[in-house]
């Protein structure tokens, strides 16, 4: 097990607290890995099991959440809807209805499509939650719905950070397709960029694109381009794909443009061994706590893509460590109603840039801080933060 604390105490202003035993209501996926980790953390702390309101059941029966939040007082956490296929379809249908779109078919498992419709459905759901919470002052909310939505909208989140002076990669704006990408590169005199889908997660639809003066180009992505009836489709895969033929790159970028893809400047990541890394930092109550270096030999360092963990303390010198802490605190401060935030940060030569904020970035099994995993620590610090 990794202990990101390295034996350090919690930052000033965020003491170790004892949970006060208030009931926890969790809007999540019953039986999912997140719910299991939260229940295990509560058991280890001697707390009663969380009351779980299953996302899909709640969408069918809105009164379930009302009844669960009637306990006084209680803590409420909104967790990720995850990759539950039925729930995914329900949110897409609601989004299509809200946007006035017809829906010919649901996407296949792992298919990258209709992310805007999904986000519209998810937005409606969280707006319903927010309306309910406004009439329940006794409920202590761990992460406010409107801040969760802002973090999930990656482009809006980066614009939010930039407007508040948080260092981020240079934003180049939405990309309408391959031809537009090339025009944007020419306009900014760039040969390499990252493309990101606006509402994607876990590197879904992310592309590292580069070209050279001889006209050669390459796109590396977790998106697999599959030819089928009706034309090409994109599917998430764990093993990154590299595209070198221009027709494939055109299909890839054009398809992703339909998912509201945007471009940002490519920031070099620091080297470690044969790879390079960035850092996931979990902030609790605005203070950096758990952190882990994500080391990979390819462009994307997400841990689920078979990349490796490394101890941050062994990689950063004093100047880099200070930059990481300062930037994490500053970024978290722009979300004052979010107790738990996962931040992806590149630290290099004493400077830190925030790649993105993760609304549900606490799923880091066995990563410890002060001897506690992310779930036990968030319960403890939320109690002391609210006291």
């Amino acid at each position: 097990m990794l202990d990101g604390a390295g034996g350090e105490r919690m930052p000033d202003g965020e003491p170790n607290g004892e949970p006060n035993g208030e009931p926890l209501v969790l809007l999540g996926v019953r039986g999912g890995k997140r719910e299991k980790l939260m229940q295990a953390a509560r058991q280890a702390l001697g707390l009663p099991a969380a009351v779980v309101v299953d996302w899909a059941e709640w969408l069918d029966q809105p009164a379930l959440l009302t009844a669960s939040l009637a306990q006084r007082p209680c803590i409420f956490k909104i967790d990720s809807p995850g990759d539950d296929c039925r729930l995914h379809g329900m949110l897409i249908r609601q989004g299509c209805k809200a946007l006035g779109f017809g829906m010919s078919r649901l996407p296949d498992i792992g298919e990258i499509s209709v992310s805007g419709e999904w986000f519209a459905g998810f937005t409606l759901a969280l707006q319903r939650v927010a309306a309910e919470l406004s009439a329940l002052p006794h409920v202590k909310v761990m992460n406010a719905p409107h801040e969760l939505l802002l973090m999930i909208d990656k482009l809006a989140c980066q614009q939010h950070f930039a407007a508040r002076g948080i260092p981020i990669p240079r934003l180049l704006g939405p990309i309408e397709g391959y031809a537009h990408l090339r025009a944007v590169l020419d306009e900014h005199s760039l040969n390499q960029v990252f493309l990101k889908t606006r509402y994607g997660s876990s590197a879904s639809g992310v592309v590292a694109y580069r070209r050279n003066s001889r006209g050669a180009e390459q796109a590396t992505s977790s998106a697999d381009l599959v030819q089928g009836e009706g034309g090409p489709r994109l599917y998430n895969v764990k093993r990154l794909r590299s595209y070198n033929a221009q027709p494939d790159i055109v299909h890839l970028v054009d398809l992703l443009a339909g998912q509201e893809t945007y471009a940002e400047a490519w920031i070099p990541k620091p080297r470690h061994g044969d790879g390079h890394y960035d850092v996931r930092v979990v902030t609790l109550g605005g203070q950096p706590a758990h952190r882990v270096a994500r080391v990979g030999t390819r462009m994307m360092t997400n841990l689920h893509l078979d990349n490796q963990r490394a101890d941050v303390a062994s990689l950063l010198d004093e100047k880099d460590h200070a930059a990481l802490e300062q930037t994490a605190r500053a970024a978290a401060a722009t979300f004052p109603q979010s107790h738990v935030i996962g931040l992806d940060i590149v630290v290099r030569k004493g400077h830190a840039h925030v790649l993105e904020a993760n609304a549900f970035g606490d799923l880091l099994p066995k990563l410890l801080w002060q001897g506690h995993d992310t779930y036990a620590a968030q319960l403890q610090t939320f109690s002391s933060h609210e006291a």
Side-chain angles (χ1 to χ4, degrees):
M1 294 186 180
L2 295 175
D3 190 338
E8 301 173 39
R9 62 184 176 86
M10 286 290 286
D12 292 339
E14 194 62 52
N16 282 318
E18 290 299 325
N20 57 19
E22 289 176 331
L24 172 68
V25 178
L26 185 69
L27 178 59
V29 177
R30 182 178 289 107
K33 51 192 173 183
R34 294 173 183 271
E35 188 243 337
K36 290 178 180 177
L37 287 167
M38 176 61 83
Q39 300 289 27
R42 290 187 67 80
Q43 183 178 19
L45 293 171
L47 297 172
V51 175
V52 180
V53 177
D54 182 77
W55 262 104
E57 293 175 7
W58 169 66
L59 290 176
D60 275 339
Q61 305 174 64
L64 290 175
L65 184 59
T66 305
S68 297
L69 292 176
Q71 304 180 64
R72 295 173 179 265
C74 68
I75 299 169
F76 176 55
K77 183 184 181 186
I78 303 167
D79 218 336
S80 169
D83 52 7
D84 181 283
C85 293
R86 175 171 173 255
L87 173 56
H88 195 64
M90 294 172 76
L91 292 171
I92 291 171
R93 289 189 186 94
Q94 289 193 3
C96 287
K97 184 177 180 180
L99 295 170
F101 293 167
M103 186 178 64
S104 58
R105 67 175 185 88
L106 286 174
D108 297 335
I109 295 175
E111 185 178 359
I112 303 171
S113 67
V114 296
S115 61
E117 290 85 340
W118 175 90
F119 183 73
F122 191 67
T123 298
L124 280 178
L126 286 199
Q127 287 173 343
R128 285 170 50 193
V129 173
E132 188 152 348
L133 291 173
S134 67
L136 300 172
H138 65 279
V139 178
K140 300 175 182 179
V141 183
M142 195 169 281
N143 280 32
H146 71 281
E147 292 193 352
L148 290 176
L149 287 171
L150 179 54
M151 282 185 259
I152 291 170
D153 184 339
K154 289 185 177 182
L155 177 56
C157 184
Q158 291 299 81
Q159 292 168 335
H160 163 88
F161 281 147
R164 288 155 182 80
I166 306 301
I168 62 167
R170 180 159 55 117
L171 285 175
L172 306 175
I175 296 299
E176 299 169 5
Y178 175 80
H180 184 226
L181 169 63
R182 298 284 300 219
V184 168
L185 290 170
D186 292 341
E187 177 187 352
H188 293 278
S189 299
L190 294 173
N191 286 322
Q192 52 186 24
V193 292
F194 270 92
L195 305 178
K196 296 183 176 181
T197 51
R198 184 166 185 167
Y199 311 112
S201 62
S202 302
S204 175
V206 175
V207 176
Y209 174 88
R210 52 189 174 185
R211 63 181 184 177
N212 63 28
S213 58
R214 298 185 303 275
E217 56 186 334
Q218 182 185 71
T220 301
S221 179
S222 60
D224 187 25
L225 184 64
V226 177
Q227 297 293 337
E229 292 184 13
R233 296 180 186 176
L234 294 177
Y235 292 85
N236 285 311
V237 289
K238 285 187 64 176
R239 191 170 298 277
L240 296 180
R241 292 287 312 275
S242 289
Y243 300 91
N244 299 289
Q246 188 180 67
D248 289 339
I249 296 175
V250 171
H251 280 312
L252 175 69
V253 176
D254 284 351
L255 284 172
L256 288 173
Q259 305 304 308
E260 298 184 63
T261 289
Y262 66 97
E264 65 181 26
W266 186 312
I267 290 185
K269 295 180 180 179
R271 301 290 303 180
H272 176 59
D274 295 331
H276 48 257
Y277 67 93
D278 58 17
V279 180
R280 165 66 60 87
V281 181
V282 178
T283 61
L284 302 175
Q287 299 297 324
H290 303 75
R291 72 282 311 267
V292 61
R294 310 183 305 178
V295 184
T297 58
R298 305 291 295 277
M299 289 74 171
M300 289 77 163
T301 55
N302 302 69
L303 293 175
H304 78 283
L305 298 176
D306 294 330
N307 293 310
Q308 302 300 313
R309 295 184 180 192
D311 181 49
V312 174
S314 67
L315 298 177
L316 302 186
D317 61 22
E318 184 175 348
K319 189 175 181 181
D320 284 344
H321 180 77
L324 177 72
E325 296 259 328
Q326 179 182 359
T327 301
R329 286 192 184 94
T334 71
F335 288 96
Q337 297 182 61
S338 294
H339 183 70
V340 186
I341 306 172
L343 297 168
D344 294 338
I345 300 177
V346 169
V347 189
R348 189 170 179 265
K349 297 181 179 180
H351 298 281
H353 292 81
V354 179
L355 299 180
E356 61 183 66
N358 298 272
F360 307 115
D362 53 358
L363 182 61
L364 294 164
K366 300 182 181 180
L367 180 67
L368 303 182
W369 175 260
Q370 297 256 314
H372 294 291
D373 70 9
T374 56
Y375 294 90
Q378 68 190 251
L379 292 169
Q380 290 192 308
T381 53
F382 188 74
S383 296
S384 35
H385 183 70
E386 288 292 309

